[in-house]
């Protein structure tokens, strides 16, 4: 542990304050949202049903999660890891779960309000959806900053604060995997019987799986995404602290331990202000078209990034003796935006790749799938080059310390980017409620427009999630090897030579790490497929046994479908989640920390590639279908449309379960390895 | 260069002789095959048409290939690589092309003969198909051994003999990619209009793409597979020679340079005899059932492996001062068989994974695809563990030298394994000819049975191809770093430390290498999709403009479809092939040999995982469809069958284009890097 001087404590209080301001901002927005009209009885009830379903899932999820936290706490306590790390672990888990919980509560309280608002003015609908997303974004950054600063204030030791990251990571993994399986089992099941077999529209209240589907948007896309980025955010700051703990030499100037550990926290604090200012730019004129809606959100993202660059320059100039780390921040932010724009290009139907998938649908589902998958594979190009550039540049300017700083830079405006991301599911729900609540075609169309805009901005948000996961894991991985070298007392360069790719043990590790990401994806995808099959059988059964449902005379048994999704999600998150935690610990402890190093590197590289491929092919299939539904190539009901629906359905688990879960897998594995170093040496 | 002593020359002559014996054996079998009856006029003509189409493709392919060889020869000549390597490069390219050419000629001469033979006795059909495969297998090992021994006799310098490997690799890549795109564009195109739209059977002569499809089986599965394994075979021996060139220390005993370089060649020579003996075990009783056919081939594979183990023990015991390298041989052979059996388990419909895909087809194509892809992902488990075990064990017993020795062990019985692999396409063609030539349902059914057995044994063959590609690339990669260290004059351990995965440059390399495999797969898959679309349009056009075709009154324009496949194959092999050669050279030369090291490791790891996933998901989809066609889950014409056909079609480019091309990509990249070391230092 280090002694924190008066100046450090002052700076730490500033960061802490920024965290509380973020939370206060979220509370103010919540109060405003709750004051908006909820809609008529039917609409309010629908919103309540979704709310209850979502909370029911979270509550059931807390049982196995608490058990996991308890078991891990015991393990942490008996292994030679500082005992206070156990406390940090529990706090991290708690903060992550809390952020997800609050974000999801607000999202489910906002959906009907967004639909009602859109009835009068589509711009108002945007505002409610976006505010709801901002609550999530601000809660995530606020809780992370408050948690981290309090811990660092009392226990300024990286080994302890890493526990916080591990707590956040493990909750994130289970939330992402469980929620992802839940939502896509419901979505696929609902579509396969509803849209494909019975030809009833999306979100039709006659579909027994429709509530499960709408609940799924919240537990997967809101709570899952929030936990994911909470982890990235905390993880990037923690890895910067861990790497900066020994003090840093940049451009022949030494940066003190206090400076190197406080700098990432201060960057994050300024990011809160950049995000809050950015939200002010998200405004439209009255009854805007889809282009203006889109521009409004983009303006928010880009202006916070621009403001952040100015803040980061001032901060670096004033706080550090050298300016180089500022360039690392910029390279991270630029990489994030590049990845986001590339995802946009590859997944939106304004552009050629997705249109070509739609065209390939004209020769049936097989060509649609082959084309979509090859688009997904090729979409790795720019993101991977961007990540490599960010690693190379940040290392060039600020050494190994630069890599986590680039990640912190990329995530500094998370309050804003996460808002544009969780905005989507709120309006997706709004569109569903408009349909189910008979609010009329006009409202439905408006809500759908808002949803479409959400899909676009979500691409940028997902780009940040993937890019930051890669950078954060690389940083944590460097911290792992650095800490190992330090604990074994061997010189770093001598130690590093054991990790040469030429060593068969390292090569074996690389293979095993890559393998883990493939098996992990297989498990999650398999779970969705199985859940969807059960859902299909249940929906078919209800249609068959209760003929009144399809005639709209009887209400379907929504509960039963929610139950299937819940059980599938909970049951199938255990094995992949357990693997992610257990494999690194067992390899590092029982076999070799060198093999574990290979495992981490292999998992990071393969995981990034697979995650991008799955996310973007899924997104592109989705939007290719929408392109046809907009009236192109024969429009709804054509052969091409049927083929595109198949692609969209295949894409569901790709983009919303397996793909995003990989982001967390690679971070979690690196985090757990870093935390358990004392056990390995 | 080293001086070869008298004893070495004697041993070399023995290996050379073994090569000639293999070729002689192939010639004898060829003479026997050609003596068999060709069938009636119609059947003979069909066989001729396929033969001409296949040769036409090969001949068109030779133009760009000759241009490539000429350009590379100039580049090799002007770079600081020994000039004799240019000669070796040209020989390697020539031998590889020759082996593919001869194998394909025989395959296209055998197809109608196999069909005619099956008319009388299914066992005779097996014998012709298997003999045809054996010709290919023996030509591959024979030409490789003759070429390598002659070169080594005159120029005993690893740097020169690596040129031979590079020649073989580059031809292999173009043959695999070009042939793979050709065959699957034709296959997908034929199926999409024929089977799906017009509901006419497979291989129906009314389908304009049917000849292109049958030609494709030969240019893709015969010539492509032959070139692929020629490369693996030569590459594994070359990497063993390169790593053994300095002499080796094992178990505190030194193995001389002469011993270490001759041992892999001698192993291969004994493998020829083990394979020839093994072929004698491939026999059946009169009119055997499918189980006996299957057993006959398996007996061949397993008995050659068993004989090889005995030979290897005797050889090692007599020739080397230590026995340890023998264990490396065994670990390689065992890994090959384990991978083969795992592929069988994951892709055959006797087992649960494939049956579960068939079951998932009952809820439509989307669940079929999701299930199939997750089966493919999970099928990486055993092969990757087997490769890791082979690396770990062979390294444990014989150091870095052990890794290529394991690969040589795995491939030593290639004469046999390749025979069982190219047996498949011959009988696939036979079934097609039986259908097109109106030879009657009985013959058709028998030929289909033979084809089905071929699919099974091909799984083992593919397992060897993938496993040996991974081991050979790892060995070549080790040789690359070893040679770099030697040329730069730095000590190996100091040099290796630059290649630590902790170095950002290495990490960037790992990312870029992984990226390359994804982009490469995207390009090949994209090409197949595009070619298939063109084919679909052409077939539809013919059906529309010449209504007599579907009524069976007019002959379709087969030529036009062959032309489309040829052009698609040739045009689209340039970019991926060029990338594979140019990227390593440019990175190593203009940027950094350290980054290149990372690129190789990243490509090997990711390439192996992706190759297995693509190959096995494709195989499993294919057999899931066959499972339904056998009458399960509703049989032909059911909804489940339609869904399974979609999966099968998606699987075409997965298993026969992109997947196998990756095997070559990783070997070629490692080979080209090793060869160009003098340019990099």
């Amino acid at each position: 542990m280090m002694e924190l001087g008066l100046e450090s404590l002052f700076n730490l209080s500033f960061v802490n304050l920024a965290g509380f301001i973020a939370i206060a901002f979220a509370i103010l927005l919540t109060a405003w949202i709750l004051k908006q009209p909820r809609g008529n009885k039917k609409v309010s009830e629908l919103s309540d049903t979704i709310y209850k379903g979502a909370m029911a899932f979270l509550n059931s999820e807390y049982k196995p999660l608490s058990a996991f936290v308890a078991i891990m706490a015991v393990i942490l306590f008996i292994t030679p890891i500082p005992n206070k790390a156990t406390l940090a672990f529990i706090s991290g888990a708690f903060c992550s779960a809390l952020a997800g919980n609050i974000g999801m509560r607000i999202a489910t309280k906002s959906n009907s309000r967004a639909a009602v608002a859109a009835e009068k003015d589509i711009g108002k609908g945007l505002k409610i959806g976006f505010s709801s997303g901002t609550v999530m974004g601000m809660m995530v950054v606020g809780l992370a900053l408050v948690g981290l600063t309090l811990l660092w204030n009392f226990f300024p030791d990286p080994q302890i604060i890493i526990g916080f990251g591990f707590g956040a990571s493990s909750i994130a993994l289970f939330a992402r995997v469980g929620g992802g399986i839940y939502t896509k089992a419901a979505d696929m099941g609902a579509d396969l019987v509803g849209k494909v077999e019975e030809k009833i529209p999306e979100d039709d209240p006659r579909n027994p799986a429709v509530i499960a589907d709408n609940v799924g948007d919240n537990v997967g896309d809101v709570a899952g995404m929030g936990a994911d980025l909470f982890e990235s955010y905390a993880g990037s700051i923690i890895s910067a602290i861990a790497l900066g703990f020994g003090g840093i030499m940049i451009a022949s100037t030494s940066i003190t331990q206090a400076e190197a550990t406080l700098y990432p926290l201060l960057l994050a604090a300024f990011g809160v202000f950049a995000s809050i200012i950015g939200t002010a730019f998200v405004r439209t004129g009255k009854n805007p078209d889809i282009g203006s809606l889109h521009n409004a959100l983009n303006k928010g993202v880009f202006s916070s990034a621009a403001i952040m660059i100015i803040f980061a320059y001032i901060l670096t100039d004033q706080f550090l003796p050298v300016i180089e780390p500022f360039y690392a921040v910029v390279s991270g932010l630029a990489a994030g935006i590049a990845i986001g724009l590339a995802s946009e290009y590859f997944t939106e139907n304004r552009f050629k790749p997705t249109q070509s998938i739609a065209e390939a649908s004209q020769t049936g589902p097989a060509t649609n799938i082959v084309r979509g998958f090859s688009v997904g594979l090729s979409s790795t190009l720019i993101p991977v080059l961007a990540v490599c550039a960010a690693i190379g540049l940040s290392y060039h300017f600020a050494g190994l310390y630069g890599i986590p700083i680039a990640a912190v830079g990329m995530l500094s405006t998370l309050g804003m980017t996460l808002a544009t991301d969780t905005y989507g599911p709120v309006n997706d729900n709004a569109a569903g409620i408009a349909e189910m609540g008979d609010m009329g075609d006009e409202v439905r169309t408006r809500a759908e427009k808002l949803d479409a805009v959400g899909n676009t901005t979500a691409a940028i948000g997902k780009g940040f999630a993937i890019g930051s996961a890669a950078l954060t894991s690389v940083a944590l991985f460097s911290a792992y090897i650095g800490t190992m070298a330090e604990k074994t007392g061997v010189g770093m360069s001598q130690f590093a030579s054991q990790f040469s790719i030429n060593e068969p043990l390292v090569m074996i590790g690389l293979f095993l790490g890559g393998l883990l990401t493939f098996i992990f994806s297989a498990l999650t995808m398999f779970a969705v497929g199985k859940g969807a099959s059960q859902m299909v059988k249940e929906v078919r059964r209800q249609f068959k046994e209760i003929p009144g449902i399809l005639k709209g005379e009887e209400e379907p048994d929504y509960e039963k479908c929610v139950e299937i999704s819940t059980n599938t999600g909970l049951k199938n998150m255990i094995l992949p989640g357990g693997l992610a935690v257990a494999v690194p610990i067992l390899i590092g402890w029982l076999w070799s920390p060198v093999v574990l190093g290979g495992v981490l590197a292999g998992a990071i590289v393969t995981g990034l590639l697979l995650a991008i491929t799955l996310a973007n092919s899924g997104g592109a299939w989705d939007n290719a279908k929408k392109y046809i539904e907009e009236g192109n190539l024969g429009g709804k009901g054509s052969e091409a449309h049927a083929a595109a629906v198949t692609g969209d359905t295949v894409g569901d688990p790709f983009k919303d379960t397996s793909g995003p879960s990989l982001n967390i897998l690679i971070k979690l594995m690196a985090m757990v390895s870093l935390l358990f170093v004392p056990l390995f040496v």
Side-chain angles (χ1 to χ4, degrees), chain A:
Chain A
M1 284 211 203
M2 63 193 268
E3 280 294 315
L4 294 176
L6 198 62
E7 204 190 320
S8 295
L9 283 176
F10 176 76
N11 284 316
L12 212 53
S13 309
F14 169 74
V15 179
N16 190 272
L17 180 68
F20 276 113
I21 289 177
I23 295 174
F25 190 65
I27 293 173
L28 281 179
L29 282 175
T30 305
W32 179 79
I33 292 169
L34 294 179
K35 265 191 293 183
Q36 306 307 312
R38 298 191 63 192
N40 62 33
K41 185 157 170 289
K42 187 165 182 189
V43 167
S44 308
E45 274 175 12
L46 279 166
S47 175
D48 278 344
T49 312
I50 295 172
Y51 169 78
K52 277 184 209 146
M55 293 315 295
F57 176 70
L58 275 200
N59 288 332
S60 339
E61 204 180 36
Y62 290 149
K63 273 172 231 155
L65 287 189
S66 311
F68 169 80
V69 169
I71 294 168
M72 275 319 300
V74 172
I75 293 176
L76 285 172
F77 202 77
I78 56 175
T79 47
I81 293 164
N83 282 338
K84 282 156 194 156
T86 313
L87 180 70
F89 164 71
I90 297 171
S91 335
F94 179 77
C95 286
S96 167
L98 184 62
N101 187 306
I102 294 175
M104 215 187 64
R105 276 175 196 266
I106 298 307
T108 46
K109 292 284 178 200
S110 309
N111 48 16
S112 72
R113 291 181 165 91
V116 173
E119 201 164 8
K120 285 187 197 132
D121 174 7
I122 191 167
K124 187 83 187 286
L126 174 89
K127 202 171 168 199
I128 290 184
F130 178 72
S131 300
S132 168
T134 309
V135 171
M136 180 66 163
M138 290 297 163
M139 284 312 295
V140 163
V141 300
L143 282 171
L145 288 184
V146 170
L148 284 171
T149 46
L150 285 178
L151 271 174
W152 192 245
N153 185 45
F154 292 111
F155 319 114
D157 174 353
Q159 207 52 46
I160 293 171
I161 209 168
I162 291 164
F164 186 85
F166 177 52
S169 293
S170 41
I171 293 301
L173 187 77
F174 287 111
R176 237 330 179 192
V177 173
I181 295 172
Y182 182 112
T183 176
K184 291 302 130 173
D187 192 3
M188 281 181 77
D191 286 355
L192 284 170
V193 191
K195 282 206 270 190
V196 179
E197 291 182 8
E198 303 291 343
K199 316 272 181 217
I200 58 178
E202 175 98 31
D203 290 325
D204 192 296
R206 289 171 294 175
N207 194 327
V210 73
I211 294 292
D213 186 8
N214 276 279
V215 168
D217 290 339
N218 293 293
V219 298
D221 299 347
V222 179
M225 179 64 112
D228 184 349
L229 284 160
F230 183 89
E231 182 207 7
S232 275
Y233 189 75
S236 64
I237 297 173
I238 290 169
S239 53
I241 291 176
L243 280 168
F245 187 67
I248 297 286
M249 280 290 292
I250 295 173
S252 319
T253 306
S254 70
I255 297 178
T256 64
Q257 185 183 48
E259 286 165 346
T261 49
L262 275 171
Y263 179 66
L265 286 165
L266 287 168
L267 273 177
F270 278 103
V272 170
F273 300 114
S275 304
I276 292 180
I277 300 173
T279 58
F281 288 85
V282 182
R283 53 174 76 234
T284 59
K286 200 150 171 75
N287 280 323
D289 61 2
I290 201 157
S292 333
L293 292 169
H294 188 248
N295 281 343
L297 288 172
N298 269 356
K299 245 188 289 172
V301 171
F302 287 110
S303 54
S304 357
I307 294 164
M308 184 60 207
I309 289 179
I310 298 168
F311 282 174
Y313 182 80
I314 298 171
L315 169 69
T316 315
D317 187 47
Q318 298 291 316
F319 185 72
L320 293 184
V322 285
I323 197 68
E324 276 75 6
F326 166 70
Y327 301 120
V329 172
V330 175
S331 68
L333 256 175
I337 289 176
I339 298 172
L341 293 177
S343 312
E344 233 185 87
Y345 175 73
F346 276 99
T347 58
E348 277 180 37
N349 58 29
R350 287 179 293 148
F351 301 106
K352 231 188 137 241
T354 300
Q355 289 178 2
S356 77
I357 300 175
E359 276 153 28
S361 311
Q362 293 173 290
T363 39
T367 38
N368 165 290
I369 300 288
V370 168
R371 183 72 197 206
F373 193 63
S374 52
V375 163
L377 288 168
S378 59
S379 75
T380 51
L381 184 66
I382 292 165
V384 172
L385 292 181
V387 166
C388 287
I391 292 174
L393 289 172
S394 58
Y395 178 71
H396 172 74
F397 287 114
L400 278 185
Y401 180 65
I403 298 173
I405 291 300
V408 173
M410 191 186 273
L411 289 167
S412 53
T413 56
L414 183 68
M416 180 71 212
T417 43
L418 189 53
T420 61
D421 207 354
T422 39
Y423 156 89
V426 172
N427 278 298
D428 194 350
N429 259 227
I433 288 177
E435 172 78 28
M436 292 185 279
D438 294 326
M439 291 176 72
D441 281 350
E442 175 63 22
V443 182
R444 164 88 193 165
T445 313
R446 286 182 175 182
E448 270 179 355
K449 265 190 200 165
L450 289 169
D451 181 21
V453 172
N455 277 336
T456 310
T457 51
I460 297 196
K462 276 183 187 158
F464 273 85
I466 292 178
S468 64
L471 279 185
T472 305
S473 332
V474 172
L476 286 167
F477 167 65
S478 301
Y480 164 72
I481 295 189
T483 316
M484 282 292 304
E486 189 194 308
K487 299 269 167 184
T488 48
V490 196
M492 184 63 197
S493 77
Q494 195 194 327
F495 188 77
S497 76
Q498 299 175 24
F499 287 89
S500 166
I501 37 175
N502 185 42
E503 290 295 322
L505 276 186
V506 174
M507 200 68 193
I508 290 175
L510 290 172
F511 275 121
L512 295 179
L515 177 64
L516 209 57
T517 62
F518 273 59
I519 297 300
F520 185 82
S521 304
L523 288 173
T524 47
M525 206 172 282
F526 171 84
V528 173
K530 219 170 55 177
S533 284
Q534 281 179 278
M535 193 67 83
V536 164
K537 281 175 197 148
E538 170 61 20
V539 175
R540 281 183 186 161
R541 183 194 67 80
Q542 290 199 22
F543 282 154
K544 204 177 142 198
E545 294 180 6
I546 319 169
I549 293 179
L550 270 175
K551 292 181 203 137
E553 291 160 0
E554 272 176 280
E555 194 168 78
D557 184 357
Y558 299 127
E559 286 291 313
K560 187 82 197 152
C561 292
V562 169
E563 198 186 305
I564 289 174
S565 260
T566 305
N567 289 341
T568 310
L570 292 182
K571 223 173 64 186
N572 289 296
M573 74 183 190
I574 309 290
L575 180 60
L579 271 182
V581 176
V583 168
I585 299 178
L586 293 178
I587 289 183
W589 181 39
L590 300 178
W591 191 359
S592 151
V594 170
V595 175
L596 178 55
V599 168
L600 296 181
I604 292 170
V605 169
T606 316
L608 176 67
L609 286 160
L610 200 54
I612 299 172
T613 301
L614 295 175
N616 286 348
S617 55
W621 274 316
D622 187 352
N623 286 321
K625 181 201 68 177
K626 289 193 175 134
Y627 181 73
I628 296 178
E629 287 177 352
E630 285 161 14
N632 300 297
L633 305 169
K636 265 192 180 178
S638 63
E639 289 276 318
H641 183 242
V645 168
T646 298
D648 176 37
T649 315
V650 170
D652 277 340
F654 277 46
K655 73 176 196 296
D656 292 320
T657 313
S658 303
S661 300
L662 283 168
N663 295 346
I664 308 190
L665 175 74
I666 60 179
K667 285 178 289 181
L668 174 59
M669 282 172 59
M671 188 74 85
V672 73
S673 304
L674 177 57
L675 180 63
F676 277 83
V677 163
L679 178 68
F680 305 156
V681 291

